[in-house]
Amino acid sequence: MIMDHNFIESEKLDISEAQSNCLDTKSTGIDVEDNGHGEDCKSTGIHFFPPLYAKRYHLAVETLTKYDIKSVIDFGCAECHFVKHLSSVPCLEAIALVDINKELLVSKQKTIAPELRHFIFKRKNPLHVSLLAGSAEETDSRVSHFEGVTMIELIEHLYPDVLQKVTHNVFGNIKPRLCLVTTPNSEFNVLFKNADPNKFRHWDHKFEWNQTEFKSWCEEICRRYNYIVEYTGVGLLPDKETHHLGYCSQAAVFCLNHQRVFSQSLSNEHFSLCYELIAEADYPFEKETCSLNERIDLEVKYCVQYLASSLRKENSGNDEGPVALQISRILNFPNIKSFCDEDAVRESLHRCEYQISDDQLIVYVPEEENDENDGHTEEEQCVAHQVCQDYEMHLESWD
């Protein structure tokens, strides 16, 4: 991750000396930075596969998906590798990659563009990615409303005064609904078997916290900014004798405590355009081609046929005569229930020219035609098939 310009200016660091004071992690075979090696190590027998950086990205993707985050800022994006994973998060609609190193971002700007796979397997919803040069100490009005923030292996590169400003900006100004922070766990360093276990893993690290120190920082954030936190991490060895050392990379998932926060968030007008836009990209997605009523009619008709076919099979395959079906059963389909009420279903049944009982509770499904898919395009059939799959999964979830 890239360091912030304030602490670059505040102290001229002798790189060669700093490098000599960091852990010799190459000899251990443990991937502690985003190098992607993760080789086997004969001296320690420690091997992470997938590499630790990939595990961190996977944790972030899982967390953003779990909390249905629509927009996320990745502070300290560096070479922008994370965007390849973020673009697979189905709920995301906006990604802002922010780093202080403008020169690096310019050299990596093509990384954010969609790849061939994104055109072949299109997303279900739009996704806009922006690459921004700026400091995590400041909030740009273009991202001040974003729901999520990730800081992956970033905070350990910051001096205490800069970390304090970044912390306040993220939790006090942006106030994301969710924030994921990962950082090295210093207690794990003894497994590297270096002569001095107090050495840092990377020459630019300003600190490496143990589990207690990290939790103390997290709890202060929760107390001051009204968040709740859950602790996790990546890189836990299978040997139970080392479990007390914790994860190689410890993590905290902060969630905004909505019960205690009311109208403290600042409006976008409070912030300025303080980041420089380096590049932006829009990812291809499947656009809706039919109207809402047409989609309702399509899904209702297939749900009716699916239920009628199931009832006929239960009745020993008797295909003669109409099937009486309770309209309320159609609402058991998750895709129908998500955007339809019972009245809308009845209106759709009328549009599809089904016969409905006088009390409006029963629909009569006529004898099945030879081909249920007659008159429907391949795209429409795929949509309907997905509806039935969702319904079956819904039933299985109650088993």
Side-chain angles (χ1 to χ4, degrees):
M1 297 300 170
I2 299 304
M3 68 197 82
D4 202 85
H5 71 290
N6 286 342
F7 59 75
I8 295 177
E9 296 172 353
S10 64
E11 181 171 328
K12 300 297 183 181
L13 194 63
D14 185 340
I15 296 179
S16 61
E17 179 181 355
Q19 287 176 330
S20 68
N21 291 330
C22 69
L23 284 172
D24 181 19
T25 56
K26 291 183 179 179
S27 67
T28 68
I30 301 178
D31 167 42
V32 295
E33 286 294 318
D34 287 1
N35 52 37
H37 296 310
E39 302 93 347
D40 287 308
C41 176
K42 294 180 180 179
S43 62
T44 65
I46 297 175
H47 174 57
F48 288 131
F49 183 82
L52 206 60
Y53 78 93
K55 290 178 179 290
R56 286 193 288 262
Y57 290 161
H58 181 69
L59 172 64
V61 166
E62 276 192 333
T63 304
L64 294 170
T65 303
K66 175 182 176 181
Y67 290 93
D68 195 30
I69 299 299
K70 299 291 191 297
S71 53
V72 65
I73 311 169
D74 180 38
F75 281 122
C77 66
E79 297 181 347
C80 308
H81 295 309
F82 190 25
V83 73
K84 301 300 182 184
H85 301 262
L86 283 175
S87 62
S88 67
V89 180
C91 55
L92 279 177
E93 297 178 358
I95 300 171
L97 307 172
V98 181
D99 201 286
I100 199 67
N101 192 329
K102 177 183 175 181
E103 183 179 354
L104 178 61
L105 296 186
V106 170
S107 69
K108 297 294 181 180
Q109 60 181 303
K110 292 183 179 180
T111 306
I112 72 170
E115 301 172 341
L116 177 61
R117 62 188 174 96
H118 297 117
F119 290 91
I120 298 175
F121 305 102
K122 294 182 180 179
R123 294 171 52 87
K124 297 296 182 182
N125 58 321
L127 175 63
H128 182 79
V129 180
S130 55
L131 189 60
L132 301 161
S135 171
E137 296 178 50
E138 302 175 309
T139 300
D140 189 288
S141 59
R142 288 167 291 188
V143 299
S144 61
H145 62 286
F146 274 37
E147 293 184 351
V149 167
T150 56
M151 293 190 289
I152 301 177
E153 306 298 287
L154 170 66
I155 63 172
E156 63 273 10
H157 292 271
L158 309 178
Y159 282 114
D161 59 328
V162 178
L163 176 59
Q164 185 176 3
K165 294 175 182 177
V166 170
T167 301
H168 178 71
N169 183 52
V170 171
F171 296 98
N173 292 337
I174 302 175
K175 282 193 173 295
R177 185 159 63 85
L178 176 136
C179 179
L180 172 67
V181 179
T182 76
T183 191
N185 169 22
S186 64
E187 294 176 59
F188 198 93
N189 291 351
V190 297
L191 298 178
F192 296 136
K193 295 187 177 180
N194 286 75
D196 184 1
N198 293 319
K199 288 184 177 180
F200 293 159
R201 302 179 189 179
H202 189 269
W203 66 266
D204 187 52
H205 286 184
K206 306 304 182 291
F207 62 86
E208 289 181 4
W209 283 332
N210 60 35
Q211 297 175 77
T212 301
E213 291 169 326
F214 182 53
K215 289 180 179 180
S216 176
W217 178 75
C218 294
E219 289 167 5
E220 177 62 19
I221 289 174
C222 293
R223 185 191 66 81
R224 180 172 296 184
Y225 300 107
N226 295 327
Y227 276 79
I228 56 178
V229 66
E230 178 182 346
Y231 300 105
T232 182
V234 295
L236 188 66
L237 297 182
D239 184 3
K240 293 183 179 180
E241 293 182 359
T242 64
H243 279 193
H244 67 283
L245 299 175
Y247 295 96
C248 182
S249 185
Q250 53 191 341
V253 180
F254 295 92
C255 292
L256 189 61
N257 189 350
H258 294 286
Q259 294 180 349
R260 299 178 60 190
V261 177
F262 300 98
S263 58
Q264 298 179 14
S265 298
L266 299 173
S267 64
N268 288 357
E269 297 177 357
H270 179 81
F271 304 108
S272 61
L273 298 176
C274 56
Y275 297 163
E276 181 179 351
L277 179 64
I278 304 300
E280 55 187 341
D282 289 299
Y283 279 59
F285 67 99
E286 296 179 358
K287 297 181 180 179
E288 192 66 63
T289 58
C290 58
S291 68
L292 178 59
N293 279 347
E294 288 173 336
R295 181 175 176 83
I296 292 174
D297 292 349
L298 174 66
E299 296 192 348
V300 166
K301 188 170 184 179
Y302 269 86
C303 292
V304 167
Q305 292 176 349
Y306 178 84
L307 290 172
S309 176
S310 299
L311 286 175
R312 286 192 174 94
K313 290 179 181 178
E314 292 175 4
N315 295 329
S316 302
N318 182 15
D319 291 332
E320 297 181 1
V323 172
L325 185 67
Q326 290 184 349
I327 294 177
S328 60
R329 291 191 62 185
I330 301 173
L331 287 171
N332 288 333
F333 287 81
N335 278 22
I336 298 285
K337 193 173 183 179
S338 64
F339 61 91
C340 270
D341 58 17
E342 196 163 336
D343 289 336
V345 170
R346 289 193 185 94
E347 293 175 3
S348 174
L349 292 171
H350 282 297
R351 287 195 297 267
C352 295
E353 299 181 350
Y354 283 104
Q355 182 183 354
I356 299 179
S357 63
D358 293 338
D359 58 8
Q360 301 291 300
L361 298 179
I362 303 294
V363 58
Y364 298 100
V365 186
E367 183 178 349
E368 290 182 315
E369 299 176 358
N370 292 332
D371 188 354
E372 293 181 359
N373 295 328
D374 285 349
H376 297 290
T377 67
E378 182 178 352
E379 179 183 2
E380 289 173 336
Q381 293 171 25
C382 289
V383 171
H385 177 66
Q386 183 62 46
V387 174
C388 294
Q389 277 191 328
D390 290 343
Y391 178 65
E392 290 170 346
M393 291 177 63
H394 173 72
L395 294 179
E396 289 175 0
S397 67
W398 288 94
D399 289 345

